Amino acid sequence: MPSEFDVIQRYFSRLTDTREDVEVGIGDDCALLRVSQNSRLAVSIDTLVEGIHFARDTDPLLLGHKSLAVGLSDLAAAGATPCWATLALTLPDIDEHWLEAFSRGFSLLARSTGVQLVGGDTTRGPLSITVQVHGQICDGSMMLRSGASAGDLVYVTGTLGDAALGLLVRRNIHAGDDVETLFAALDQPQPRLAESACIRELATSCIDISDGLSSDLGHILQASGVGATLFQDSLPLSRPVEDYVASTDDWSVVLGGGDDYELCFTLPAALQQDMDRLRDEMPACFSRIGKIDPEPGLRLVDHAGVSRTIGAKGYDHFG
Ligand code: ADP
Ligand code: MG
């Protein structure tokens, strides 16, 4: 049976490419990192626990990807460029097949986003994965939740509800076609880093959608002391989600479904044309879905022009 140190050496010490700003990485008591001048350090941490965030039989390759992706999505929401990560892994036992696949999933995303794994901790216990990500933001270009003002436009990247519908399919609650797209959204979210870099100079506020649009946009509204109106017909849906909504009239996957990891952001109406020009540069599509109002609360206007109020949690209010 390999020791804790064998595991670190074998699976984690050379997992990612080396960055020149890492003076000391894995192997000493602390990592030593050089932070650029005129930048802020952006830090975010997330834990995935077996039985809570993922099922026991989850493919470890996908877990390796997702455990880093959710943190990178937070950095994208802040407008930060990812640099370094640390990994605290609690394992019930040393399963080399699991470690091999997990570290590969982690490594593929880390390498493609320029992130170096610079340290961590390896302990024994019920399976749990904690990843802390560190990024840098040039002074002045960070995006907070608190910057939205009345009159701003509300945008999202990508499409909404694919992961939530994927979960319904996986639990056999819904039988759909095109399940590959839905499972990819659920298991392998792509952090919107390139999109973040395109919008961070323009946006007045931003959040990543991890709990569902109504809940996460609700955080922007609360932090900014404003409200919003969304237009149902403008919400970007993939074909399977569009079919699902058309046949069930259940909007909860779109408004309250978690795990989208798309960006929701606001920007001044005067910048709408700049946004239209950006369309060609942004890898993912982006859609204008509504506007910020002075009066608090979140409203949804349907195709007939009827407006209804959506609760912060969205989900229950649509039955
Ligand atoms: P310490 O006892 O000083 O905390 P450890 O023995 O826990 O050190 O870890 C040895 C080195 O390996 C440290 O540099 C630590 O950051 C790194 N490390 C431990 N576990 C992991 C892991 N799962 N991923 C990446 N680095 C790790
Ligand atoms: Mg330790």
Side-chain angles (χ1 to χ4, degrees):
M1 184 70 115
S3 73
E4 174 193 329
F5 302 103
D6 296 333
V7 167
I8 298 167
Q9 182 63 26
R10 206 170 293 170
Y11 296 102
F12 298 110
S13 65
R14 289 175 306 276
L15 191 62
T16 55
D17 294 330
T18 23
R19 293 173 57 97
E20 61 83 33
D21 53 13
V22 176
E23 287 179 5
V24 177
I26 292 173
D28 216 306
D29 292 312
C30 291
L32 291 179
L33 313 168
R34 258 196 324 276
V35 182
S36 311
Q37 260 185 357
N38 306 320
S39 286
R40 309 283 167 91
L41 188 60
V43 179
S44 179
I45 188 164
D46 284 286
T47 296
L48 301 180
V49 178
E50 183 185 272
I52 309 283
H53 300 93
F54 61 91
R56 173 169 289 264
D57 59 359
T58 305
D59 180 346
L61 183 94
L62 301 177
L63 268 183
H65 173 96
K66 194 163 179 177
S67 64
L68 178 59
V70 297
L72 296 182
S73 178
D74 284 323
L75 292 182
T81 303
C83 303
W84 315 292
T86 49
L87 167 67
L89 203 51
T90 303
L91 303 167
D93 49 39
I94 293 175
D95 174 345
E96 299 221 53
H97 163 77
W98 191 94
L99 281 162
E100 173 61 42
F102 174 85
S103 58
R104 193 147 36 89
F106 191 101
S107 152
L108 284 171
L109 182 59
R111 287 176 193 264
S112 72
T113 52
V115 170
Q116 182 174 345
L117 181 67
V118 294
D121 200 23
T122 306
T123 53
R124 186 168 198 172
L127 181 59
S128 149
I129 305 156
T130 297
V131 175
Q132 183 160 38
V133 290
H134 309 75
Q136 297 185 75
I137 310 183
C138 288
D139 291 349
S141 57
M142 62 277 285
M143 297 184 285
L144 304 178
R145 298 178 178 186
S146 54
S149 328
D152 282 359
L153 307 175
V154 182
Y155 284 84
V156 290
T157 59
T159 54
L160 300 170
D162 299 279
L165 186 59
L167 196 58
L168 293 185
V169 172
R170 184 161 290 156
R171 289 180 175 163
N172 296 316
I173 296 169
H174 176 71
D177 53 2
D178 210 358
V179 294
E180 293 309 316
T181 327
L182 302 179
F183 288 166
L186 180 61
D187 298 324
Q188 290 190 287
Q190 302 299 322
R192 296 303 193 186
L193 291 161
E195 293 75 10
S196 165
C198 288
I199 61 162
R200 65 187 165 205
E201 306 293 340
L202 307 177
T204 50
S205 72
C206 186
I207 193 166
D208 66 320
I209 305 177
S210 53
D211 294 332
L213 175 65
S214 61
S215 163
D216 289 314
L217 175 57
H219 293 313
I220 286 186
L221 302 182
Q222 189 162 29
S224 303
V226 292
T229 300
L230 301 181
F231 303 103
Q232 191 166 293
D233 284 349
S234 307
L235 298 174
L237 308 181
S238 64
R239 201 197 41 80
V241 172
E242 197 174 332
D243 291 349
Y244 171 81
V245 168
S247 63
T248 60
D249 201 34
D250 171 18
W251 282 84
S252 67
V253 296
V254 178
L255 296 163
D259 272 359
D260 280 324
Y261 298 105
E262 297 295 348
L263 299 180
C264 175
F265 57 98
T266 60
L267 85 173
L271 295 183
Q272 188 177 341
Q273 274 161 14
D274 300 68
M275 258 331 262
D276 291 342
R277 272 195 291 277
L278 266 180
R279 199 175 287 269
D280 300 334
E281 288 169 39
M282 300 251 285
C285 63
F286 65 93
S287 311
R288 178 159 50 88
I289 60 166
K291 64 177 177 51
I292 298 293
D293 306 322
E295 56 277 9
L298 180 58
R299 291 155 289 277
L300 183 70
V301 176
D302 70 13
H303 55 91
V306 178
S307 171
R308 53 186 170 158
T309 299
I310 314 175
K313 275 281 160 215
Y315 194 93
D316 285 338
H317 300 78
F318 291 94

